[in-house]
Amino acid sequence: MTKPIKRVAAIHDLSGFGRASLTTIIPILSTMGIQVCPLPTAILSTHSGGFKEFSFVDLTDSMESYINHWYKLNLDFDCIYSGFLGSTKQINIVSDFIDKFKRENTLVVIDPVMADNGLLYDTMDITIVENMRNLIKKANIITPNITEAAYILNEKIDYQKPIDKKIIKDWLYRLADMGPNIVIITSVLNENNPKTIDVVAYDKENQNFWKITSKYLNAFYPGTGDTFTSVLIGSILNGSSLPVALNKSTEFINQSLKVSNEFDYPNREGILLEKVLSNLNMPILNYSYKSF
């Protein structure tokens, strides 16, 4: 029996307030005509980006029974998408999930959410990094930001300074050699223009490099990484090529940031997703990707 729509298993945390993880992923993919089946790793009263004293319920001990029920139902997924994982045990559970549910045509996307702005998140340590290196071996696509890429490769960087094109290409090669077919690195400062920022990608199978350059906006909104990867997945599952999917994801982030910057509200609440969701079903007007 053929499914009427594509289906994604989304392995992320759920925050009651603040637009991040599942509260961002579900509306984006649903708007793009894709069913989201959430597998929550934790439930938080708010996300951790700028909030203090939030409640946190760790769901590690319930994940395996949750997964076993799905397995008994013989569910199949067009994509397995994992993000924030709070422990080594959760990484191992996701690894087993991929082994159980991955089919020949299943897209496995891993966003190794661990760090930003040059530092690991407070809840992360080097053990998480080491185990994440093993997990990304099972991915078709990974989407680290520049800080996460540096930790995975055991490199040290000044995230506030541009990185030479040759170094970025070397990083993309090395990350791809760890297993993924496609490596995408976000938040890369442009070496020629400090007022712009790049998303770079490497397609190992076709030996292609891609880059999209955008205006750098000095404003931090939690959840933009989840937004970017969700739009990327939705675009690919709907038939877009990698450069077109990258373009759509980057353009949607840019639109979201521009709209959000027009309003006076705490950045920690995330981008004003509700005001831009309808843009996901509009044609792309600006194809800005190029090879490099």
Side-chain angles (χ1 to χ4, degrees):
M1 182 183 297
T2 303
K3 298 190 302 294
I5 58 175
K6 298 289 179 68
R7 182 184 294 156
V8 173
I11 311 171
H12 295 257
D13 61 284
L14 173 64
S15 298
F17 186 76
R19 301 170 184 87
S21 54
L22 287 173
T23 54
T24 295
I25 295 161
I26 293 171
I28 287 174
L29 287 171
S30 296
T31 299
M32 299 179 79
I34 293 164
Q35 179 187 8
V36 181
C37 301
L39 170 50
T41 58
I43 297 177
L44 295 79
S45 54
T46 68
H47 62 69
S48 59
F51 292 98
K52 296 181 180 179
E53 299 180 356
F54 49 85
S55 70
F56 181 96
V57 180
D58 186 342
L59 298 180
T60 301
D61 291 339
S62 65
M63 288 175 69
E64 289 177 313
S65 61
Y66 195 115
I67 292 166
N68 289 336
H69 187 216
W70 279 6
Y71 190 71
K72 289 177 182 177
L73 292 174
N74 198 30
L75 296 184
D76 66 287
F77 301 99
D78 298 281
C79 174
I80 298 168
Y81 169 27
S82 80
F84 180 87
L85 301 173
S87 66
T88 297
K89 186 172 182 180
Q90 286 193 352
I91 292 175
N92 293 336
I93 290 171
V94 172
S95 180
D96 291 341
F97 184 95
I98 294 169
D99 292 341
K100 277 187 174 182
F101 288 93
K102 180 174 171 57
R103 306 290 184 265
E104 182 179 356
N105 296 318
T106 306
L107 179 68
V108 177
V109 179
I110 295 174
D111 184 4
V113 180
M114 302 182 295
D116 204 357
N117 298 329
L119 297 171
L120 286 174
Y121 294 136
D122 290 342
T123 57
M124 298 293 173
D125 58 31
I126 198 63
T127 304
I128 295 287
V129 177
E130 291 167 352
N131 282 274
M132 190 63 72
R133 289 176 186 141
N134 290 324
L135 185 62
I136 65 171
K137 294 176 182 178
K138 299 187 176 185
N140 300 112
I141 300 174
I142 60 170
T143 59
N145 61 37
I146 189 66
T147 299
E148 290 157 349
Y151 270 100
I152 292 170
L153 293 171
N154 198 26
E155 294 282 357
K156 294 188 182 299
I157 59 162
D158 183 343
Y159 76 97
Q160 294 179 314
K161 292 183 179 180
I163 300 177
D164 183 86
K165 173 182 173 180
K166 291 182 180 179
I167 294 175
I168 286 294
K169 278 195 168 184
D170 177 65
W171 285 24
L172 291 167
Y173 275 129
R174 288 164 60 194
L175 287 167
D177 284 344
M178 296 173 75
N181 299 321
I182 294 170
V183 176
I184 300 165
I185 304 178
T186 62
S187 306
V188 181
L189 291 180
N190 188 284
E191 63 179 332
N192 298 316
N193 185 349
K195 294 183 179 180
T196 60
I197 196 163
D198 295 333
V199 172
V200 297
Y202 172 53
D203 179 346
K204 181 167 60 177
E205 182 177 352
N206 297 304
Q207 295 289 298
N208 287 330
F209 291 90
W210 301 100
K211 179 172 77 171
I212 299 178
T213 300
S214 306
K215 182 180 179 181
Y216 177 67
L217 297 175
N218 189 22
F220 175 71
Y221 293 90
T224 52
D226 303 321
T227 298
F228 174 88
T229 304
S230 297
V231 178
L232 179 88
I233 289 170
S235 300
I236 290 173
L237 291 183
N238 284 331
S240 293
S241 64
L242 175 62
V244 171
L246 288 168
N247 199 109
K248 187 175 183 70
S249 304
T250 305
E251 185 175 276
F252 184 73
I253 290 290
N254 291 337
Q255 292 169 351
S256 301
L257 292 174
K258 288 176 183 177
V259 168
S260 299
N261 273 325
E262 293 174 1
F263 294 85
D264 183 17
Y265 73 102
N267 288 18
R268 67 183 185 177
E269 294 183 15
I271 55 176
L272 298 179
L273 187 62
E274 298 82 359
K275 290 188 174 292
V276 291
L277 269 177
S278 59
N279 294 355
L280 288 168
N281 292 322
M282 297 174 64
I284 297 174
L285 300 178
N286 177 29
Y287 285 92
S288 57
Y289 60 82
K290 60 181 179 181
S291 59
F292 81 104

